[in-house]
């Protein structure tokens, strides 16, 4: 087992609405990522993926609030730290975040080099601009980004170039953990490949030590990450290696996710994609039992009212379901 870069223990966070209602968006999530490894997080929109990313950074601002649990980065807990301390001593150096729609994060009135000055000066205020520029030019060259991008405005860059530039700026201080929230969404296939190639190079060259990659596309995670965990309604319902989750999913929700993907090699003419009935539960009032029970074709009355334990099997695999593995596999075989 390698060195653990980040460990999250039973993390619970919530949103508080204007009407003072609690929305339990992340409920009891635990995982760890070792040095040199990447973890994928999959699930449909609204399942809590992006909230988990924000929560893991320990940077809480209303309406998001920390409830309980621990976040440990390279052996140091950041839970309960003051937001200003997190910004000064954690963000950028210990952990970096690439948000959704990152290509729109660049101020169009500033040149790219100015963003790098701001990021580096926030942690090294005495570093001369000349040294920052040299560091930036070297990093951009190594990541196959032209040096002249530094002197351009964001409006002069294509969508793919903007995305790669944001990634380079976010990781300029070589964070131990990188959280990438759907970094390849809204890009054409060619740009997606370049972004994924760049993130692999960041890992291979040691510029980042570990990565959490968030998307709703399980096949994409298979090509990018070592392990995958699947979220549903604020909880982790299954975790395993990328190969296990894509080719042998255990939880009914993971199984349904993979069943909703068309495989061109198998032919698509006349093929109907299965659809899950209903909608995810209201997280203001989470159900007493399994959160997937109302949509699960294999659910029983017991599933709706009893707390669902996390079951571990194999090497590092887990799933959250009352049914046994053999029972689920038998059910899938009759579909």
């Amino acid at each position: 087992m390698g060195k653990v870069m980040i460990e999250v223990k039973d993390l619970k966070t919530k949103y508080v609405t204007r009407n003072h209602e609690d929305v339990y968006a992340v409920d009891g999530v635990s995982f760890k990522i070792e040095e040199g490894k990447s973890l994928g997080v999959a699930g449909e929109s609204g399942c809590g993926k992006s909230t988990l990313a924000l929560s893991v950074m320990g940077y809480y601002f209303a309406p998001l609030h920390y409830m309980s649990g621990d976040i440990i980065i390279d052996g140091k807990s950041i839970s309960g730290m003051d937001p200003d301390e997190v910004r000064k001593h954690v963000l950028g150096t210990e952990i970096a975040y690439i948000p959704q729609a990152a290509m729109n994060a660049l101020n169009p009135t500033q040149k790219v080099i100015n963003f790098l000055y701001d990021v580096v000066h926030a942690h090294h205020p005495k570093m001369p601009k000349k040294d920052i520029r040299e560091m930036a030019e070297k990093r951009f060259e190594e990541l196959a980004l032209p040096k002249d991008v530094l002197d351009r405005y964001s409006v002069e860059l294509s969508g793919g170039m903007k995305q790669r530039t944001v990634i380079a700026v976010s990781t300029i201080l070589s964070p131990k953990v990188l959280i990438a929230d759907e970094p390849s969404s809204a890009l054409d296939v060619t740009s997606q490949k370049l972004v994924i190639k760049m993130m692999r190079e960041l890992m291979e060259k040691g510029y980042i030590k570990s990565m959490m990659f968030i998307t709703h596309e399980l096949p994409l995670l298979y090509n990018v990450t070592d392990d995958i965990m699947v979220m549903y309604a604020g909880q982790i319902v299954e975790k395993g290696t990328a190969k296990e989750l894509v080719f042998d999913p255990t939880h009914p929700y993971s199984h349904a996710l993979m069943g909703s993907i068309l495989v061109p090699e198998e032919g698509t003419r006349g093929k109907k994609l299965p659809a899950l009935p209903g909608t995810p539960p209201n997280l203001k009032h989470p159900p007493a039992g399994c959160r997937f029970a109302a949509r699960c074709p294999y659910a029983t009355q017991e599933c709706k009212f009893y707390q669902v334990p996390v079951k571990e099997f194999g090497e590092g695999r887990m799933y959250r379901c009352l049914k046994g593995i053999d029972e689920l596999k038998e059910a899938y075989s009759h579909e």
Side-chain angles (χ1 to χ4, degrees):
M1 180 176 176
K3 182 179 180 181
V4 175
M5 284 289 101
I6 183 168
E7 182 172 9
V8 176
K9 298 180 180 179
D10 198 26
L11 183 62
K12 296 183 181 182
T13 64
K14 66 180 180 180
Y15 290 107
V16 179
T17 70
R18 292 179 180 178
N19 297 325
H20 305 290
E21 297 174 302
D22 293 335
V23 180
Y24 302 99
V26 173
D27 191 1
V29 171
S30 299
F31 65 89
K32 62 179 67 174
I33 310 176
E34 297 175 12
E35 184 174 0
K37 299 291 185 180
S38 55
L39 172 69
V41 184
E44 64 191 289
S45 296
C47 71
K49 304 186 301 295
S50 294
T51 303
L52 175 62
L54 293 172
S55 301
V56 165
M57 291 192 299
Y59 204 46
Y60 297 100
F61 287 98
L64 180 61
H65 296 267
Y66 168 80
M67 292 175 64
S68 62
D70 204 359
I71 304 156
I72 303 166
I73 300 176
D74 196 17
K76 301 172 186 175
S77 175
I78 65 169
S79 301
M81 284 181 67
D82 181 82
D84 285 337
E85 289 298 304
V86 173
R87 180 176 57 82
K88 290 177 183 176
H89 303 297
V90 177
L91 299 182
T93 53
E94 299 294 303
I95 190 167
Y97 176 55
I98 301 169
Q100 288 190 46
M103 66 178 71
N104 299 322
L106 298 172
N107 185 334
T109 67
Q110 296 286 327
K111 292 183 178 179
V112 170
I113 187 62
N114 290 330
F115 301 119
L116 288 149
Y117 290 152
D118 289 344
V119 170
V120 177
H121 275 154
H123 297 276
H124 306 286
K126 295 183 180 180
M127 182 179 286
K129 286 188 174 182
K130 177 177 175 291
D131 293 347
I132 296 174
R133 185 178 185 92
E134 288 178 359
M135 178 173 69
E137 288 180 351
K138 182 180 178 182
R139 178 66 61 87
F140 271 48
E141 279 188 319
E142 289 183 344
L143 295 174
L145 283 166
K147 287 193 298 182
D148 64 0
V149 169
L150 294 169
D151 295 307
R152 295 192 207 174
Y153 294 93
S154 63
V155 293
E156 300 178 88
L157 306 176
S158 66
M161 187 69 79
K162 286 180 187 176
Q163 190 78 309
R164 290 157 61 203
T165 298
V166 169
I167 294 171
V169 172
S170 299
T171 59
I172 192 66
L173 294 174
S174 300
K176 293 169 183 172
V177 183
L178 175 65
I179 300 177
D181 193 351
E182 305 216 30
S184 61
S185 63
L187 297 176
D188 59 79
V189 174
T190 301
S191 295
Q192 283 186 353
K193 287 182 177 180
L194 288 172
V195 166
I196 291 170
K197 180 175 181 289
M198 182 178 182
M199 299 187 79
R200 282 178 175 163
E201 288 177 352
L202 285 167
M203 291 277 288
E204 291 168 1
K205 294 180 178 180
Y207 294 141
I208 57 174
K209 300 296 184 184
S210 60
M211 178 172 66
M212 187 165 88
F213 192 105
I214 298 171
T215 185
H216 59 276
E217 300 179 65
L218 274 172
L220 176 61
L221 291 179
Y222 174 69
N223 292 305
V224 178
T225 63
D226 299 294
D227 300 303
I228 297 175
M229 62 184 189
V230 178
M231 282 193 79
Y232 183 80
Q235 295 182 330
I236 302 302
V237 296
E238 184 169 1
K239 182 178 180 295
T241 67
K243 183 176 181 180
E244 290 166 341
L245 261 294
V246 170
F247 294 104
D248 189 28
T250 297
H251 192 276
Y253 179 63
S254 306
H255 180 75
L257 278 183
M258 285 309 303
S260 67
I261 297 167
L262 284 172
V263 181
E265 291 81 3
E266 296 177 358
T268 59
R269 184 184 294 274
K271 184 175 180 179
K272 277 186 142 187
L273 291 177
L276 286 171
T279 58
N282 184 343
L283 293 183
K284 293 179 185 177
H285 309 287
C290 174
R291 296 187 178 183
F292 187 59
R295 306 175 73 190
C296 181
Y298 316 111
T300 62
Q301 285 298 109
E302 186 181 33
C303 297
K304 298 177 182 179
F305 299 105
Y306 288 90
Q307 285 289 333
V308 184
V310 172
K311 297 179 181 178
E312 297 183 1
F313 67 102
E315 188 174 341
R317 285 204 75 177
M318 61 77 70
Y319 73 108
R320 188 186 297 269
C321 186
L322 290 177
K323 297 183 181 297
I325 296 174
D326 293 338
E327 188 179 1
L328 288 169
K329 297 298 182 188
E330 176 67 18
Y332 300 153
S333 68
H334 293 299
E335 291 183 349

